[in-house]
Amino acid sequence: MTTQQVADKLVQLCSEGKFQEAVETLYSPDIVSMEAGAPPGQSRESKGLEAVKAKGDWWVANHEVHSATVEGPLVAGSHFAVTFKLDITFKPQSKRFTMEEVAVYKVADGKVVYEEFFYNM
Amino acid sequence: MTTQQVADKLVQLCSEGKFQEAVETLYSPDIVSMEAGAPPGQSRESKGLEAVKAKGDWWVANHEVHSATVEGPLVAGSHFAVTFKLDITFKPQSKRFTMEEVAVYKVADGKVVYEEFFYNM
């Protein structure tokens, strides 16, 4: 798939709330995922499909998604950007908040090999 | 200015080829600019308005821009993304090529405080 095709499919799946399916079908085994920040002592970076799936599983288990808006993609060469606007509740603290972030992805050989998220901590 | 207003103005100025005016009018004195890569021994990161202006001056002096397409912005919270598609000649080598990149910006207090570029090296 081209960068545009991967980008369109990722936006479609995430718009439908199918975040895990996006990871499973579009990501490379060698995916590197970079958060904007990390808790003390932990890394911003997750390496490999299993680590990224585990991060996603934790996220899905700990958040209730009330609404998710995905905008984009903007595609340039092997990279693309989308935005996520999420109305969510962090279940362990019953804390509801909105989160807005820019995500940048890199595609190689038809798979997402890098993702990075930009938001305020 | 809001993130959306800064983003719209940056896209407008860059679409008109006014890259230096965008830096001079929209950037914070404390801007940090991050390239996708750097020559051996040099840094990906430029800190401060003077350093970023100097990088821009070098770029403008060494490239002839045949066309520039700017798409976006996609805005999320304090961040936004745009894409640049440039048809340029690197003047020292008379080498013409196209460059496509995703750029992510962070806005604080109405000024751009961080920019990062994503492209293949």
Side-chain angles (χ1 to χ4, degrees), chain A residues 37-46 55 58:
Chain A
Q42 295 186 38
S43 174
R44 293 172 56 208
E45 188 176 279
S46 301
K55 183 168 71 161
W58 175 88

Side-chain angles (χ1 to χ4, degrees), chain A residues 71-85 100-102 104-107 114 116 118-120, chain B residues 71-85 100-102 104-107 114 116 118-120:
Chain A
E71 291 175 292
L74 284 178
V75 178
S78 55
H79 291 80
F80 67 94
V82 307
T83 57
F84 293 100
K85 295 173 186 176
E100 301 198 355
E101 61 187 12
V102 170
V104 176
Y105 301 86
K106 179 179 179 178
V107 174
Y114 182 79
E116 183 166 354
F118 295 87
Y119 49 86
N120 281 353
Chain B
E71 291 176 292
L74 283 178
V75 177
S78 55
H79 290 81
F80 67 93
V82 307
T83 56
F84 293 100
K85 294 171 187 178
E100 302 199 355
E101 62 187 10
V102 171
V104 176
Y105 301 86
K106 179 181 179 177
V107 174
Y114 183 80
E116 182 166 353
F118 294 86
Y119 48 86
N120 280 353

Side-chain angles (χ1 to χ4, degrees), chain B residues 64-121:
Chain B
E64 181 182 355
V65 179
H66 307 291
S67 72
T69 304
V70 189
E71 291 176 292
L74 283 178
V75 177
S78 55
H79 290 81
F80 67 93
V82 307
T83 56
F84 293 100
K85 294 171 187 178
L86 304 172
D87 175 9
I88 52 185
T89 292
F90 182 56
K91 291 195 274 190
Q93 298 177 351
S94 298
K95 185 183 166 189
R96 184 168 178 167
F97 61 104
T98 57
M99 179 163 197
E100 302 199 355
E101 62 187 10
V102 171
V104 176
Y105 301 86
K106 179 181 179 177
V107 174
D109 299 326
K111 292 286 185 182
V112 176
V113 295
Y114 183 80
E115 64 175 4
E116 182 166 353
F117 300 99
F118 294 86
Y119 48 86
N120 280 353
M121 298 298 295

